[in-house]
Amino acid sequence: MVSAMVSGFLNWGEKQADKYFNAFFDCFDEIVKKPDLYQPVDHVRKGYRRCICGVDNIYYRVVENEIEIANILGSQDLDKL
């Protein structure tokens, strides 16, 4: 993810890189507020959910009333699976 952010900064500038970065924190806030809102992905791993954030997918689960972010995959990463 860090390399994508650096690449985004170099290709599209600081304003767009900040927008991309801040979108994750907006999604994190929404996950915390409504963790059950997002799609379960038991076919990937039981108990996990997926929040789509732009072209990225945030995979997480709720553990003892806390949110555990397991992975963030971009569309470029999904092609490698």
Side-chain angles (χ1 to χ4, degrees):
M1 184 170 102
V2 172
S3 64
M5 293 168 69
V6 170
S7 175
F9 176 81
L10 294 174
N11 289 324
W12 294 290
E14 182 177 357
K15 186 174 180 179
Q16 188 63 30
D18 285 345
K19 184 177 175 181
Y20 178 79
F21 182 79
N22 290 330
F24 283 111
F25 288 92
D26 292 342
C27 288
F28 297 153
D29 287 342
E30 285 300 310
I31 291 169
V32 168
K33 290 177 189 172
K34 305 174 198 169
D36 295 332
L37 176 67
Y38 299 96
Q39 174 187 17
V41 289
D42 289 331
H43 63 284
V44 174
R45 182 165 275 181
K46 187 169 175 59
Y48 283 76
R49 293 181 173 270
R50 177 181 69 179
C51 172
I52 298 172
C53 183
V55 297
D56 300 299
N57 295 278
I58 302 170
Y59 292 89
Y60 69 95
R61 66 181 178 157
V62 179
V63 179
E64 297 180 11
N65 295 322
E66 292 186 5
I67 305 298
E68 178 181 280
I69 304 293
N71 208 331
I72 300 173
L73 295 176
S75 58
Q76 73 279 2
D77 298 318
L78 293 175
D79 294 337
K80 296 175 188 175
L81 294 178

